[in-house]
Amino acid sequence: MSNALLRTLLCGLNMGLLFAASPALAQVGNAGLQAGASDDAQEIVVTAQKRVQNINDVGLTVSAISGAALQQRQVSTLADVAAQVPGLSFTNSASNTPVYTLRGVGFYETTLGGYPDVSTYLDEAPLPFPVLSALTAFDLERLEVLKGPQGTLFGNNATGGSINYIAAKPTDHFTAGASLGYGRFDQIVGEGYVSGPLAEGLTARISGRIEHASAWQKGYSFNGKTGKTRQYAGRFLVDWHASDRLRVQFNLNGWKDGGEPQALQFIQARQGFAGSVNQVENYPVAPRNARAADFTANIDPHLDNRLYQGIGRIDYDLADDVTLTSLSSYVHYKQDMAYDGDGVTLSDFDFPAFQGKITSFSQEVRIANSGKTQFRWVVGANYSQDKASDYYDTLYLNSTLAPSGLFRSNFSSSQKMKNYAGFANAEYDIGRLTAKAGLRYTQANRRATSCFSGDPSNAAAFAATYNFIADAVRAANGLAPGPRVTGVECLTIDTTGINGAAPTYLSTRYFGKLNENNLSWRVGIDWKPSRGTLLYANVTKGYKAGSFPSAAAATTAQLLPVKQESVLSYEGGYKLSLMGGQLQLNGAAFYYDYRDKQLRSKLVDPFFGVLDALVNVPKSSVKGIEGEIAVRPNQYFSAYVNAIYLDAKVKRFTGYNGEGVLGDFAGYQVPYAPKLQVSTGFDANVPVSETLSAFAGADLAMRGDAISVIGGSQAYKIDGYATLDLRIGIKDADDRWRFQLWGKNVTNSYYWTNVTSFYDTLARYTGRPATYGATLSFAIR
C-alpha cells in the first residue's frame, strides 16, 4: 500500500470517527474496551494522572495493554513492547543500551548515563536510564504508554512520552500460577507467581521468570555462533494495610542478563584515517538473512549485566478525601560485557571489555484529594540523584589507525546528576467541561568527567602520536611545545577550554558541568457531550535535560554538552465508547514544535577523520494523526486496528552527516520516525464443550521507511517492514490451564531497526527471524 493511499485512508478514518461523535450515535455506555487484550471483557483503568481512572475519562492519548494480553502475545523484550504501540519505535545500540522514539521524539545515545526522551517507570518509580528496563516486562497487571510530553506529572526527560510498567499486585486470597514454554533455538521460558495473605492486612506476591536459548546468529564467513540467552528476573511485593488511613507497599525486584549481545550485520566500509589502507574495504557484505552476522570471536562477546531495585510507597489519608503519598526508589545496576563493534571477523573496532555502573535514588512526596470531587488537585515535590560511570577497552588491530601504530585504547567516564522539582496539577468540572492545568519547575545539575588513554600495551605509540599532534596544534596557535605524555595518562587535547577557561592545547582529563532549569506546563480542556464520549484538547510544554557525550575523544570538542531540548505540543483528540461498550473509537491529531533536539552526530577532526559528537538541532517539527478502532461484538471475539501517520522534519540544522559532509539539512526526516505505522489483530474464543474452549489470535504490525542519520546516504535507510504473529490453543472453561502454540514473525520477514557507523564500517541491527513454540500454563485462583 502506498504512503499516499494509506495517508488518505487514515485521514478518512479520523474524519469518519469525528463525525461518529454526534449525539445521536453517542448515547451508549462508557465501559472501556481493549481489543485483543484477553478473553474477558473488562473496564480498563490507568494511572496516567497519578490516580486510578477509567482510560476513557483521561483526556490524553494513552495506550494500555493488559498483563493477559502481554502473556498471550509473548511480549517479554523491549522490542516486543514497541511492536505493540503505534508510534513507538525501538532500536538497539552497540553498548546494549535500548533507545525508544515516540511520535518522532527520541534521543539515540549509547552512553549508560544518557537520559532518554521516553521515560520508563515501574509502579510510578523511575527507571531513569533506558538500560534499566531491559527485563521488566514480566508478571504485569498492565502496561501504560502515555504519548506526548509528560513533564508536569512525570518530570524531566519525558518529552516524547512515558512508559509505566504496572506490576501484578498481591491478592487478598491465595493464588498461584506458572507457565513453561519451549521454542525455536532451544528456547525454554519458565514463569511463575504465588500470591496471597500473610496476616491480617498483610499480603505478598513473589514472581519470577527464567529464559534460556541457544545462539540464534551464525557467521557467514566463518564457523561461529552467538546470541544465546541466559536471563533471570524476580520480583517480591508486600502490601500492608496498617489501618483505615495508612497503606504501605514495598517492591523488591531484580534481574540478570548473562547471555550474549546481538552481533551486527556488515553493510559497507567507510572512509577512516586519511591515507591509510582500509582492510575491511573488500570484506563480504552480510546476506539478507537475519541470522547471518560475523563477529570477532576471540574477544568472547558476552553479557554479565544485573540490576536490583527497591521501591517503597506510603499512602496516608490526612482526611477522608486528602491523601499524602511518599514514593521512594533506589536502583543499582552493574554491567560487564564484551561485544564486537564492527560486524566483521577482523578486529576493526571491538570492545573486549565494556563495564559500567548506575546508582539512582529518587524521592517524591505529594498530596492529592480523592478525585471524586468537582475540583481535583495534586501538589508535590521530587528529588533524584543519579550516578553513571562506564569504562571501555577498545581494540582496533585491523583498522585504518593501525598503520600509525595505534591499535588499543581505554576510555572511562563518570556523570553525576541531581534534579530538584516541584509540581502541581488541577482539574475543575464546569458542567460537561473540565478545565485542566499543571506545571513543574525543575532544576537539573550535571557534572561529568572523562579520560581517554592509550592501553599500556600500546602506550608508546600513543605517546608519540599525541605529542606530535599536540605540538602541531600548539604551533598553529603560536605556542611552544608542551610537556611530553607517556601514553597512559589522559590524552584528550584541550582545544575548547574547560568550564570557561582558555584552551591549553595540552592533553588532559575532561571536566564539565551543566546547570539548567525549566518550567514544564500543560493547559487543556475536556468535553463530555454525552455518555461514552470524550473530546479533549491540550497544549503542553516539556523539556529533556542537557547531556554530556561518552566518547573516546581526540579533542575536547567531542565532549561538549548539548543543552536541554523542548517540545511544545498542540493536541486534540476523542474517545468514543459505542454500542454499549462493544465498539471503541479513539483518535488524535497533534503538532509538535521541537526545539534543540539532542542528536548524536559527527564532527571532522583533521587528524582522526569523522568522529562522534552530540549536537543540538535548532528547530524541528512533528505533525501527525492517529486512530484506533477496537470492537468486541460478543464474549467470543475481539479485534482492533491502530494507525498513525507522522511528518517529522528538520526545520533548521547545519551540521555533518554520517559521512562527515557538512550541509544544510533543513527538510530532512527526523531519525527513527517512520511516516506510517499500522497494527491490526484479533482474538477469538470458541467453546468446544462444557469444559473446554479453543482460542486463536493474530497480530500484524507494519512500519514505513525511516532513517538513522540525518542527511546520510541510502545506506543509513531503515526499510519499512511487516511482521505477523499467530497463536492458537485450548484451555479449560475457567481458564485454570491453557496450552498454546505460537509463532512470531511467522513469515520470516527480514528487517532491521538501526544502521550505525563505526570507525571503518557501516552495520545494521536486524530483527529476529521467525520463532515459534508451545507454552503450557496453569493457575490456582
Side-chain angles (χ1 to χ4, degrees):
M1 181 180 293
S2 69
N3 286 1
L5 177 57
L6 192 48
R7 188 190 320 179
T8 302
L9 291 175
L10 188 55
C11 289
L13 171 66
N14 276 268
M15 292 296 290
L17 297 187
L18 285 171
F19 177 77
S22 63
L25 294 177
Q27 304 299 323
V28 293
N30 195 35
L33 176 66
Q34 180 178 334
S38 69
D39 294 334
D40 302 313
Q42 57 181 326
E43 180 184 88
I44 299 181
V45 296
V46 294
T47 52
Q49 300 186 101
K50 298 206 170 182
R51 67 174 186 271
V52 176
Q53 292 177 277
N54 185 318
I55 193 171
N56 283 342
D57 293 333
V58 180
L60 299 169
T61 304
V62 183
S63 294
I65 307 172
S66 71
L70 296 172
Q71 283 188 317
Q72 290 174 27
R73 300 175 190 177
Q74 304 294 314
V75 172
S76 60
T77 69
L78 299 177
D80 293 337
V81 171
Q84 300 296 311
V85 182
L88 183 63
S89 298
F90 163 84
T91 185
N92 205 342
S93 68
S95 60
N96 210 44
T97 300
V99 179
Y100 277 135
T101 301
L102 186 54
R103 285 180 170 177
V105 180
F107 180 42
Y108 182 82
E109 172 55 51
T110 59
T111 308
L112 283 182
Y115 283 136
D117 274 330
V118 182
S119 56
T120 55
Y121 303 83
L122 175 60
D123 288 344
E124 298 183 22
L127 294 164
F129 304 104
V131 72
L132 304 181
S133 61
L135 300 179
T136 304
F138 72 97
D139 194 36
L140 297 178
E141 180 180 306
R142 67 184 179 276
L143 173 70
E144 301 175 3
V145 179
L146 282 63
K147 301 180 182 181
Q150 303 297 323
T152 53
L153 285 177
F154 287 89
N156 233 7
N157 313 316
T159 43
S162 64
I163 301 173
N164 197 6
Y165 296 90
I166 309 298
K169 298 301 185 288
T171 53
D172 58 8
H173 61 284
F174 177 79
T175 63
S179 66
L180 181 65
Y182 180 81
R184 191 184 183 192
F185 307 119
D186 296 320
Q187 180 196 41
I188 299 175
V189 179
E191 293 192 43
Y193 71 90
V194 177
S195 177
L198 300 178
E200 183 68 27
L202 185 66
T203 58
R205 184 184 186 101
I206 186 169
S207 60
R209 185 180 192 275
I210 298 176
E211 180 177 350
H212 279 210
S214 300
W216 66 278
Q217 292 180 295
K218 54 186 180 181
Y220 59 91
S221 71
F222 82 115
N223 186 25
K225 293 183 178 181
T226 190
K228 73 178 181 182
T229 301
R230 298 290 186 272
Q231 295 178 347
Y232 314 87
R235 187 177 295 133
F236 177 61
L237 297 93
V238 176
D239 286 3
W240 179 34
H241 287 253
S243 67
D244 290 341
R245 291 188 177 273
L246 178 62
R247 299 169 299 282
V248 179
Q249 297 176 320
F250 180 71
N251 179 333
L252 178 63
N253 65 89
W255 53 260
K256 177 182 178 180
D257 189 350
E260 295 170 337
Q262 181 176 351
L264 295 88
Q265 283 195 337
F266 174 72
I267 300 174
Q268 67 181 45
R270 297 177 65 246
Q271 178 62 49
F273 192 63
S276 296
V277 176
N278 192 336
Q279 296 188 49
V280 302
E281 191 168 3
N282 297 316
Y283 198 89
V285 173
R288 294 178 64 86
N289 180 338
R291 299 189 63 187
D294 275 0
F295 57 95
T296 308
N298 62 10
I299 66 166
D300 183 28
H302 68 271
L303 299 171
D304 186 7
N305 307 335
R306 59 195 70 194
L307 169 144
Y308 66 81
Q309 179 185 31
I311 304 170
R313 175 170 175 157
I314 301 173
D315 291 286
Y316 182 73
D317 295 335
L318 300 174
D320 290 342
D321 63 345
V322 178
T323 300
L324 170 67
T325 299
S326 170
L327 183 63
S328 308
S329 172
Y330 178 77
V331 182
H332 183 278
Y333 171 79
K334 188 174 182 180
Q335 176 169 295
D336 187 356
M337 59 180 285
Y339 65 95
D340 178 282
D342 47 49
V344 297
T345 56
L346 300 171
S347 184
D348 185 83
F349 206 67
D350 296 332
F351 297 84
F354 173 30
Q355 300 166 343
K357 180 181 177 181
I358 295 173
T359 60
S360 174
F361 170 76
S362 71
Q363 174 64 53
E364 179 172 295
V365 178
R366 64 180 187 257
I367 303 175
N369 68 348
S370 66
K372 298 179 180 179
T373 62
Q374 183 181 22
F375 178 55
R376 299 172 294 281
W377 54 267
V378 57
V379 295
N382 179 275
Y383 168 77
S384 67
Q385 177 175 297
D386 304 319
K387 298 180 181 180
S389 60
D390 45 29
Y391 165 81
Y392 297 83
D393 176 10
T394 312
L395 186 65
Y396 33 95
L397 286 164
N398 305 117
S399 76
T400 52
L401 272 175
S404 68
L406 307 181
F407 61 84
R408 191 165 194 166
S409 60
N410 304 140
F411 170 74
S412 62
S413 72
S414 177
Q415 300 192 49
K416 298 180 180 180
M417 296 78 85
K418 292 184 179 181
N419 301 286
Y420 311 82
F423 61 92
N425 196 75
E427 298 179 353
Y428 187 74
D429 295 335
I430 310 170
R432 296 180 181 273
L433 296 176
T434 300
K436 307 176 294 184
L439 55 83
R440 174 186 289 255
Y441 175 81
T442 301
Q443 176 68 44
N445 300 334
R446 180 184 286 250
R447 302 290 184 270
T449 179
S450 63
C451 177
F452 169 59
S453 64
D455 187 82
S457 65
N458 197 210
F462 269 94
T465 299
Y466 271 78
N467 284 325
F468 172 79
I469 295 174
D471 289 350
V473 171
R474 288 177 63 83
N477 288 276
L479 300 173
R484 305 293 86 183
V485 299
T486 64
V488 294
E489 60 267 75
C490 301
L491 297 176
T492 301
I493 297 174
D494 175 19
T495 59
T496 60
I498 297 177
N499 294 329
T504 64
Y505 304 105
L506 295 174
S507 298
T508 185
R509 174 184 289 272
Y510 178 79
F511 295 93
K513 61 181 180 180
L514 185 66
N515 297 335
E516 298 175 308
N517 59 72
N518 59 69
L519 184 67
S520 301
W521 52 267
R522 169 181 285 148
V523 294
I525 191 166
D526 295 347
W527 179 37
K528 296 181 179 179
S530 59
R531 182 177 173 85
T533 301
L534 171 65
L535 306 178
Y536 62 90
N538 300 310
V539 181
T540 311
K541 184 72 173 284
Y543 291 85
K544 178 197 174 300
S547 184
F548 286 90
S550 180
T555 73
T556 54
Q558 279 185 265
L559 299 174
L560 298 179
V562 286
K563 61 184 178 181
Q564 63 186 355
E565 69 178 27
S566 68
V567 173
L568 178 60
S569 166
Y570 303 87
E571 180 168 354
Y574 58 88
K575 298 181 180 182
L576 310 179
S577 183
L578 309 175
M579 299 170 57
Q582 293 178 325
L583 176 63
Q584 181 71 37
L585 307 178
N586 299 331
F590 52 90
Y591 172 80
Y592 294 168
D593 183 359
Y594 197 178
R595 298 296 178 105
D596 296 316
K597 172 181 171 59
Q598 297 169 9
L599 180 72
R600 177 166 279 273
S601 185
K602 304 293 180 182
L603 60 78
V604 177
D605 183 270
F607 292 95
F608 294 96
V610 182
L611 300 174
D612 284 345
L614 289 183
V615 301
N616 287 108
V617 177
K619 182 175 175 58
S620 306
S621 68
V622 182
K623 306 170 188 174
I625 54 174
E626 61 180 283
E628 304 177 5
I629 302 175
V631 61
R632 189 181 190 109
N634 53 54
Q635 61 180 317
Y636 305 117
F637 181 81
S638 63
Y640 70 94
V641 58
N642 305 323
I644 182 169
Y645 172 78
L646 287 179
D647 182 16
K649 293 288 182 62
V650 173
K651 294 295 185 181
R652 188 170 70 249
F653 175 51
T654 299
Y656 292 96
N657 65 7
E659 284 78 31
V661 177
L662 183 66
D664 180 353
F665 299 114
Y668 277 77
Q669 186 180 8
V670 169
Y672 309 109
K675 284 191 174 183
L676 296 166
Q677 296 184 52
V678 181
S679 61
T680 185
F682 75 90
D683 275 284
N685 176 32
V686 180
V688 295
S689 72
E690 292 184 358
T691 58
L692 293 178
S693 294
F695 62 90
D699 297 288
L700 174 65
M702 296 175 286
R703 293 174 183 258
D705 296 344
I707 61 170
S708 64
V709 173
I710 292 176
S713 67
Q714 282 295 106
Y716 289 94
K717 181 182 176 184
I718 302 172
D719 285 351
Y721 62 91
T723 58
L724 175 64
D725 298 346
L726 300 175
R727 55 193 171 273
I728 189 171
I730 193 167
K731 64 172 188 168
D732 84 330
D734 297 325
D735 205 11
R736 291 172 299 182
W737 64 264
R738 65 170 57 204
F739 177 74
Q740 176 174 302
L741 299 174
W742 53 267
K744 300 174 70 172
N745 188 16
V746 296
T747 61
N748 202 32
S749 175
Y750 173 74
Y751 66 97
W752 58 97
T753 61
N754 193 19
V755 179
T756 185
S757 60
F758 294 87
Y759 203 70
D760 294 329
T761 68
L762 202 65
R764 63 174 54 136
Y765 286 93
T766 64
R768 286 269 189 149
T771 54
Y772 39 81
T775 301
L776 174 65
S777 60
F778 71 88
I780 302 172
R781 298 186 177 90

